[in-house]
């Protein structure tokens, strides 16, 4: 039982969605301190098993919760709600590591803009979530702080790179978490852990203060328990910022208005390339069953084709790793982060600090990217991939002229065993075959729980919409979620 008000147990409180917890706080069923303490207890009990938090900010959280309770202002739906931030989102005075040895002790002097927006809305920060190193990966296995575990089967990965965040939301270690998605890093772990993961349109949420992977791909978005919650969080973080020139002045609609329970008049496109070889049959069956549910809700389903899908993995990895190689140049052992103690010359400081501080996947990015960008290869690789990217964007535009959303699986397979793909980068890259095209085109997409494999592992459905059409995702996603029971299923921990 919770220690103060006493009528609501910890177990019930931490299961609540943002909107449910908000009702509880507003109606004084429990306080933000109660709720925060319930999460901190849960983290203490479970996180040694799941390894999802790099840093737990217990005192900071309780202090904020107390302030919120004292002010008693619950006009913001996020006020007093405990959450986490992926450990690439800078937080003033709180360690932000990118799950890398090179930033093991890095304490940023300022907050990322997205963190400021959430703190202003009353968010209570429980801590920083584990990720693949600098978000390079699909399993959290590249984290310097060890792999996070999938709550549905702790022998399996939670997906990545926002795997700490997804595992937390699925295991009730946070009400919601903020992740980043460059090639699938919010949607794929959401799919593998059974939660909602929203990849916003490129430019919808300001990136200031969030450590970059590939700047023309990176997006920031929520992992939540429900579609409604994703809409609530996006409402607080979306929109133009003076601090990020890639956020245009596109109006931010009232996202909650799009949460409807039927799909009458909605046109859903099914791109056949997302249901082909490489995607497990069980996954395809779950998504096809989901499409039937959507038809019953009134949707009109049409076939579409995106033939360039087969180029998305090589195109994405070439461009993303190229951008990453330049973004990672700032870690030089001097400005911030790990400095070698065995260098005698300046160049040795650079080389040794980077050799000691970066892990294998990040080094691979630097090598692939530097090679692809080098004089003489630029036209053959980078420029060619950039052209393919432009064509893929056009292909999506043509599809969205015919339908409101596209529906596909999120991941070609459910959660895989820890270690199964860790030594085979190409096999790991294939985990992203269904997510990267969305980032190449800069459109938005969301993964929502859609069922389970025969082995009891979650399977997510990906819904895609055109640029700045997040409302369409919320509409289709909410209607599907309300008509099914997947959200209610809980891992046995
Ligand atoms: N797995 C992909 C990669 O390593 C995507 C990562 C991401 O979205 N941050 O590039």
């Amino acid at each position: 039982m919770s220690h103060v008000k006493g009528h609501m147990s910890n177990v019930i409180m931490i299961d609540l969605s943002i909107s449910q917890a908000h009702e509880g706080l507003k109606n004084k069923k429990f306080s933000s301190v109660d709720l925060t303490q319930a999460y901190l207890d849960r983290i203490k009990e479970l996180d040694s098993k799941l390894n999802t938090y790099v840093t737990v900010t217990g005192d900071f959280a309780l202090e904020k919760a107390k302030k919120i309770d004292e002010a008693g202002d619950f006009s913001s739906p996020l006020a007093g709600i405990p959450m986490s931030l992926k450990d690439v989102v800078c937080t003033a005075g709180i360690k932000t590591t990118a799950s890398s040895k090179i930033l093991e002790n890095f304490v940023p002097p300022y907050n990322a803009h997205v963190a400021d927006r959430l703190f202003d809305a009353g968010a209570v920060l429980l801590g920083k979530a584990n990720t693949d190193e600098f978000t390079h990966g699909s399993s959290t296995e590249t984290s310097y702080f060890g792999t996070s575990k999938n709550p549905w089967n702790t022998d399996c990965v939670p997906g990545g790179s926002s795997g700490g965040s997804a595992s937390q939301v699925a295991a009730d270690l946070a009400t919601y978490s903020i992740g980043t998605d460059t090639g699938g890093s919010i949607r794929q772990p959401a799919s593998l852990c059974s939660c909602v993961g929203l990849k916003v349109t490129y430019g919808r949420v300001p990136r200031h203060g969030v450590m970059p992977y590939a700047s023309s791909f990176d997006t920031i978005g929520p992992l939540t328990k429900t579609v409604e919650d994703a809409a609530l969080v996006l409402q607080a973080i979306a929109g133009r910022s003076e601090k990020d020139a890639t956020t245009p002045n596109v109006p931010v609609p009232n996202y909650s208005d799009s949460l409807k329970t039927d799909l009458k008049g909605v046109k859903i496109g099914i791109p056949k390339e997302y249901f082909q070889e490489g995607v497990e049959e069980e996954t395809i069956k779950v998504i096809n069953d989901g499409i039937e549910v959507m038809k019953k809700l009134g949707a009109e389903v049409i076939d579409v084709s995106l033939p360039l899908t087969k180029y998305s993995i090589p195109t994405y990895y070439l461009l993303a790793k190229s951008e990453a190689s330049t973004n990672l140049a700032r870690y030089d052992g001097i400005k911030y982060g790990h400095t070698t103690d065995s260098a005698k010359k300046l160049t040795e400081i650079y080389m040794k600090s980077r050799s000691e501080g970066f892990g294998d996947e990040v080094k691979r990015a630097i090598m692939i990217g530097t090679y692809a960008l080098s004089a003489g290869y630029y036209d053959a690789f980078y420029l060619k991939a950039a052209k393919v990217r432009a064509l893929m964007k056009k292909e999506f535009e043509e599809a969205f002229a015919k339908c409101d959303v596209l529906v596909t699986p999120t991941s070609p397979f459910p959660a895989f065993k820890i270690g199964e793909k860790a030594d085979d980068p190409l096999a790991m890259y294939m985990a992203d075959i269904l997510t990267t095209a969305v980032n190449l085109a800069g459109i938005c997409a969301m993964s929502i729980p859609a069922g389970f494999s025969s082995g009891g592992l979650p399977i997510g459905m990906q819904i895609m919409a055109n640029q700045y059409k997040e409302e369409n995702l919320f509409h289709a996603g909410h209607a599907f979620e309300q008509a099914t029971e997947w959200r209610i299923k809980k891992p046995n921990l």
Side-chain angles (χ1 to χ4, degrees), residues 263-417:
L263 293 174
K264 286 188 198 99
V266 176
K267 274 198 189 144
I268 295 180
I270 311 296
K272 61 170 183 284
E273 292 77 7
Y274 283 74
F275 293 78
Q276 285 174 357
E277 155 202 9
V279 185
E280 276 186 12
E281 251 169 61
E282 230 178 8
T283 296
I284 291 181
K285 176 164 188 325
V286 162
I287 303 310
N288 281 336
D289 290 350
I291 293 166
E292 288 307 311
V293 172
M294 291 176 141
K295 273 190 198 160
K296 288 208 186 91
L297 293 170
E300 183 191 335
V301 173
I302 58 170
D303 290 327
V304 297
S305 175
L306 298 165
L308 294 174
T309 304
K310 59 175 178 289
Y311 301 116
S312 58
I313 287 292
T315 309
Y316 165 78
Y317 273 99
L318 218 218
L319 294 173
K321 298 289 187 196
S322 295
E323 290 187 28
S325 71
T326 68
N327 273 327
L328 290 160
R330 72 191 69 186
Y331 304 101
D332 56 7
I334 293 179
K335 291 195 282 291
Y336 28 56
H338 170 78
T339 307
T340 186
D341 50 19
S342 66
K344 296 194 183 62
K345 299 187 301 215
L346 181 64
T347 48
E348 247 178 49
I349 296 186
Y350 298 152
M351 281 196 313
K352 287 197 172 162
S353 300
R354 287 165 70 81
S355 304
E356 291 163 13
F358 288 137
D360 287 350
E361 182 58 28
V362 168
K363 285 179 182 156
R364 189 173 295 119
I366 294 167
M367 288 192 283
I368 297 175
T370 308
Y371 181 81
L373 291 174
S374 50
Y377 293 115
Y378 179 86
D379 287 2
F381 295 125
Y382 190 88
L383 192 64
K384 197 180 224 171
K387 285 180 182 163
V388 176
R389 182 181 197 180
L391 291 174
M392 290 178 79
K393 187 157 180 264
K394 206 161 144 247
E395 194 171 88
F396 273 109
E397 268 159 28
E398 282 161 14
F400 287 122
K402 291 186 229 140
C403 55
D404 303 296
V405 291
L406 298 170
V407 168
T408 75
T410 306
S411 164
F413 32 70
F416 44 94
K417 288 261 158 66

Side-chain angles (χ1 to χ4, degrees), residues 86 131-139 142 160-162 180-189 213-214 217-219 313 316-317 320-321 361 428-429 431-432 435-436 439:
K86 185 175 180 176
T131 161
D132 281 289
E133 185 179 9
F134 284 102
T135 83
H136 289 244
S138 310
S139 67
T142 73
S161 61
S162 311
T180 62
D181 191 314
T182 302
S185 275
I186 288 177
R187 290 160 287 156
Q188 184 257 12
Y213 172 166
F217 294 81
D218 294 343
T219 56
I313 287 292
Y316 165 78
Y317 273 99
K321 298 289 187 196
E361 182 58 28
M428 188 68 86
Y429 293 174
D432 307 327
T435 49
T436 48
N439 304 72

